[in-house]
Every structure is written in C-alpha cells, then in structure tokens.
Amino acid sequence: MKIAFVGKGGSGKTTLSSLFVRYLAARGLPVVAIDADINQHLAEALGAGESPPMGAHLPEIKEYLRGSNPRISSAEAMVKTTPPGRGSRLLRPGGGDPVHALGTTAPCGALLLATGPFEDDDLGVSCYHAKTGAVELYLNHLVDGPGEYVVVDCTAGADSFASGLFTRFDLTVLVAEPTRKGISVYRQWQSYAAGFDVPIALVGNKMQSPEDLAFLGSQAGEEPLAMIGHEPAVRAMEQGRPFSLDDLGPDTTAALAAIKARLDAMPRDWARYASLAAEFHRRNARSWASDRAGEDLTSQIDPGFTLGPHALAVTV
Ligand SMILES: Nc1ncnc2c1ncn2[C@@H]1O[C@H](COP(=O)(O)OP(=O)(O)OP(=O)(O)O)[C@@H](O)[C@H]1O
Ligand SMILES: [Mg+2]
C-alpha cells in the first residue's frame, strides 16, 4: 500500500511520515520510507543514516528497470513517466534489487530511500522533478500487496501535480495546520485530485484548541480523518533524544491507527493504476519528452501489459 504525506511547508509532513513509518514498523510490518522532499529531513526524523540519493543513480535505476523491454530503446530514452511493459523489471517492496540496495535501514526497521537534496547544478537547468522522477519510476514499477507499505514524504505545496506522481498513491494524506494557508493547500489538492479520483484524507496537525478543531472542520467542509495536537515527544525525536511511540499521547496514536485503517481499506485497481500511468506518460511525451529524446516516446506504452501480481511471474 502506497501513502504520501503532502501539505504546505512546515505543516508536519516529515513528522507525520516518520511517526507513521515507526508505527507500521513497530507492528512488524515491512515498510519502505521514501524522502522525496527537496529538503531531506526524513532520515533525521527516523534516526537513520543518510541513503545514497536515488537522483544521483538515475541512469543505473533506468538501466535496471528497463530490463529487456524492447519498447525502451535506451536508458536515456526512459523518462520519469515511462511505464513498465513486457520485459521490464518489476520491484517488490524492500526486494533484493539494485534500487532497494540504495536504501539504509532505520533503527525502527524500515528501509529508507531518498531522492537526494536539490543541488546547485539542478538550479536553472532542470527542476526538482528530475529528482522526484526516480520516485515516480520506482512506484510505476512496484508491485506491492496488502500488508506491505511505502510511505513517501513529499515536497511542499502542489509540485507533485507537475507529473503523474500524485496519482501513484492508494492514499494521500494532506497535513494541514488550522490556518487559512493550510486549508488553501488542501482545497488546491482537492480540486486537482478530483479529476483523477485520487483519494485524499485531511489530517489536522498542531491543533491547540477547540477553535482550531472548529476552524479546520468548517473550512474544509468535511470532517478531518484525524487530528494531532502539539506533541512534546516530537521535540525529543528531533533532538535525537530517546524516543518511543509510547511517548505519544493517545490522540496521536489514535490518529496513526485511523490513517492505517483508511489506507488498508483502500481498494486496489491495477488496470486503472496502469492507465493513469499511460495517460501521464502520453502528456509528458507530447509536452517535452519526445522532443528531447528525438523519438516518439508514446510508443513506450505497452498495450499488452498491465502491472500487478500476475506480471511478476512473467517479467522478473
Ligand atoms: N504535532 C506536532 N507537535 C509538535 N511539533 C510538531 C508537530 N508537528 C510538527 N512539529 C514541528 O513543526 C516543525 C515542522 O514540521 P515538519 O518538519 O514535520 O514539517 P514539514 O511539513 O515536513 O516541513 P517542510 O515543508 O520544511 O519539509 C518541526 O520543527 C516539527 O518538530
Ligand atoms: Mg519535511
């Protein structure tokens, strides 16, 4: 199951991602945590070492994933939206492949992957999406089942809309502080995601008073999935002091349980997942990628292939 934490800068995406990762790992569940933010803070929040950046290994990742897929002429012709097809190599969460080999195991047991920070070289010549492109490729080639989790700490705001990344999750948690800005980011996501039927759950964070609760509920126009107040234990986690999930207040623990329950209940439709990937690839190919590659990249879409557990036996 794939879940993303999004929201405005400073709303608590990294904090909630890390708490949710620890919550799942503490239940003995397999978890891959991905830091897809420009500012890489998830490793710190998980008390993990830095992972080699996926963004710096894109050529190898592409070479591996394309496998013997005849529709992808070279690793260079593989762009962030290139979907898998017959011959592609697929990934299993935490599998023994070169992509997961880039990960670092956090003390809680989760495997942490990171896109890598925004570097000076990236400025002007490309945008951050080149880095999050590694995550999009990863998710597009991943076959995950119930009880397996991929948790992605996303970049602030609505940057994910620049690609198909926002359609790759079973559930997107919009973390919002009870402020007008927090709500406006939620509305922006809601309106964009509605066109693609992307499931979003609102989670209030840093809630301090009954007024905060009333504000969020009334402004959002719907009941938030969960609310989290000020958590003193978060500071301990950030300062690298001993931290345990038992240090969290009951409301936060209930919020984490509610997020897991909602995620677990999400239906999986592999055919739809693949068709959205193809749709965003077509858009990407038409807008810039085919020109850049010097070939028509829409022909990379394999009409005879659908991602899913059945495809593992055939292509791996
Ligand atoms: N529930 C909470 N209780 C106490 N402090 C919190 C809580 N949630 C977040 N914080 C604090 O708020 C700050 C911002 O949180 P965090 O880094 O998780 O936000 P973010 O959305 O990931 O920010 P960025 O956009 O910079 O990546 C941090 O200092 C964190 O400790
Ligand atoms: Mg963050």
Side-chain angles (χ1 to χ4, degrees), residues 5-19 35 37-41 45 153-157 175 177 204-207 228-235 237-238 252:
F5 286 83
V6 304
K8 96 170 177 59
S11 57
K13 300 177 291 294
T14 303
T15 302
L16 265 60
S17 300
S18 68
L19 291 177
D35 192 344
D37 199 354
I38 296 169
N39 305 307
Q40 303 261 293
H41 296 306
D153 178 10
C154 283
T155 196
V175 184
E177 292 174 72
N205 189 29
K206 306 188 200 178
M207 309 293 283
I228 295 175
H230 178 79
E231 266 294 349
V234 166
R235 185 56 62 81
M237 188 170 83
E238 288 204 320
T252 304

Side-chain angles (χ1 to χ4, degrees), residues 50-73:
E50 299 291 324
S51 305
M54 293 166 92
H57 291 82
L58 258 178
E60 299 101 280
I61 292 175
K62 289 177 177 177
E63 196 58 59
Y64 177 76
L65 293 177
R66 82 184 180 99
S68 60
N69 184 337
R71 294 175 173 272
I72 307 171
S73 59

Side-chain angles (χ1 to χ4, degrees), residues 26-37:
R27 275 151 190 74
L29 297 164
V31 192
V32 176
I34 304 183
D35 192 344
D37 199 354

